[in-house]
């Protein structure tokens, strides 16, 4: 039993660290991409990207790493909540692994956009291709976040069920994950309203930051999870 508890504590701290790391990687990459591209027309954006090509590519890699490292977070969370309900934990793991796969698979679109800015096309030639790339990129992002929302909801539900972390944090995580699902579907069906729904991403960022810090520094109440595991076998 003690070995199981030590494993859960270790993986909880790993999950907390990776939660925070993924936020830094994703948001850091997004900030650099927006900062380098600027808000000018096609010619100005192309010139900005060409002037900082290596930094721009590095920012893209940060976001790809965020998708890849989601697999590590998913497995760490799975180990922590597996004693609560193995079947649900496996389902959540599958959804988060799907998120990582879809997010990584759609990364090529970012390099397509980069190529359009870097190959010397004029605005008229690049405009239809950029529009197509933006449409694919938006669809890929929302499919990824929809997949994420299913896994995240289940993981937070298992945290809530077992009280491994404070139920207030877990309950807010469930709410925030459901909001992500609603926003993702809305963006896929009604993309013209996507800009006005940007604020709806804030709850999940807050939930993941708080959960990350709690798991990293506060740990988990492993006894609660173990009690659920033992009662489930009774």
């Amino acid at each position: 039993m003690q070995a199981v508890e030590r494993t859960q504590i270790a993986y909880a701290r790993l999950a907390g660290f990776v939660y925070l790391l993924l936020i830094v990687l994703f948001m850091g990459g997004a900030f650099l991409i927006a900062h380098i591209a600027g808000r000018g027309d096609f010619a100005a954006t192309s010139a900005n990207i060409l002037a900082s090509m290596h930094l721009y590519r590095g920012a893209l890699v940060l976001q790809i790493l965020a998708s890849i490292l989601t697999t590590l977070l998913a497995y760490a969370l799975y180990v922590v909540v597996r004693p609560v309900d193995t079947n649900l934990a496996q389902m959540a793991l599958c959804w988060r692994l799907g998120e990582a796969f879809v997010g990584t698979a759609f990364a090529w679109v970012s390099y397509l956009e980069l190529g359009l800015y870097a190959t010397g096309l004029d605005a008229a030639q690049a405009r239809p291709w950029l529009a197509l790339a933006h449409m694919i990129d938006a669809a890929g992002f929302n499919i990824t976040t929809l997949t994420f929302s299913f896994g995240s909801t289940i993981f937070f539900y298992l945290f809530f069920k077992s009280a491994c972390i404070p139920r207030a944090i877990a309950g807010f995580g469930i709410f925030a994950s459901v909001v992500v699902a609603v926003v993702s579907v809305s963006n896929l069906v009604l993309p013209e309203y996507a800009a006005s729904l940007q604020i709806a991403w804030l709850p999940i960022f807050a939930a993941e930051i708080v959960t990350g810090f709690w798991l990293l520094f506060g740990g988990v109440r492993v006894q609660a999870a173990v009690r659920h595991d033992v009662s489930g076998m009774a």
Side-chain angles (χ1 to χ4, degrees):
M1 190 70 71
Q2 290 181 349
V4 173
E5 292 179 3
R6 286 196 298 269
T7 299
Q8 283 184 278
I9 292 172
Y11 274 94
R13 297 195 187 282
L14 176 62
F17 173 76
V18 180
Y19 255 133
L20 300 176
L21 176 62
L22 293 185
I23 292 172
V24 171
L25 290 175
F26 181 79
M27 296 303 296
F31 173 80
L32 286 174
I33 289 170
H35 177 73
I36 294 170
R39 295 181 176 274
D41 57 14
F42 176 83
T45 300
S46 180
N48 292 338
I49 291 175
L50 288 173
S52 303
M53 177 64 74
H54 291 142
L55 184 58
Y56 192 91
R57 286 180 175 273
L60 294 179
V61 170
L62 290 180
Q63 296 202 308
I64 293 172
L65 286 175
S67 293
I68 293 173
L69 289 176
T70 297
T71 59
L72 180 58
L73 173 63
Y75 186 74
L77 291 173
Y78 166 73
V79 173
V80 174
V81 300
R82 178 176 52 190
V84 183
D85 188 319
T86 302
N87 291 332
L88 282 179
Q90 289 174 345
M91 184 181 297
L93 174 64
C94 289
W95 281 118
R96 296 296 313 250
L97 291 178
E99 169 207 345
F101 175 79
V102 174
T104 305
F106 272 98
W108 67 271
V109 181
S110 297
Y111 284 91
L112 172 61
E113 294 175 340
L114 174 61
L116 292 172
Y117 284 115
T119 52
L121 296 176
D122 59 36
Q125 293 173 312
R127 189 175 295 114
W129 292 105
L130 276 175
L132 177 61
H134 290 332
M135 185 181 300
I136 296 173
D137 187 48
F141 174 77
N142 285 289
I143 293 170
T144 302
T145 54
L146 182 60
T147 307
F148 153 83
S149 69
F150 295 148
S152 181
T153 300
I154 297 172
F155 275 131
F156 276 116
Y157 167 73
L158 293 174
F159 278 135
F160 184 88
K161 178 181 178 182
S162 65
C164 287
I165 64 175
R167 281 200 165 108
I169 297 176
F172 182 72
I174 295 172
F175 163 77
S177 300
V178 172
V179 169
V180 170
V182 173
V183 174
S184 300
V185 172
S186 298
N187 288 344
L188 290 169
V189 177
L190 302 168
E192 62 271 23
Y193 296 106
S196 61
L197 294 175
Q198 289 297 312
I199 194 172
W201 299 110
L202 291 179
I204 194 61
F205 280 113
E208 293 204 329
I209 290 172
V210 172
T211 303
F213 274 109
W214 187 276
L215 291 174
L216 182 59
F217 298 108
V220 292
R221 293 178 57 216
V222 294
Q223 294 86 356
V226 171
R227 283 198 302 271
H228 275 274
D229 190 33
V230 172
S231 63
M233 294 186 299

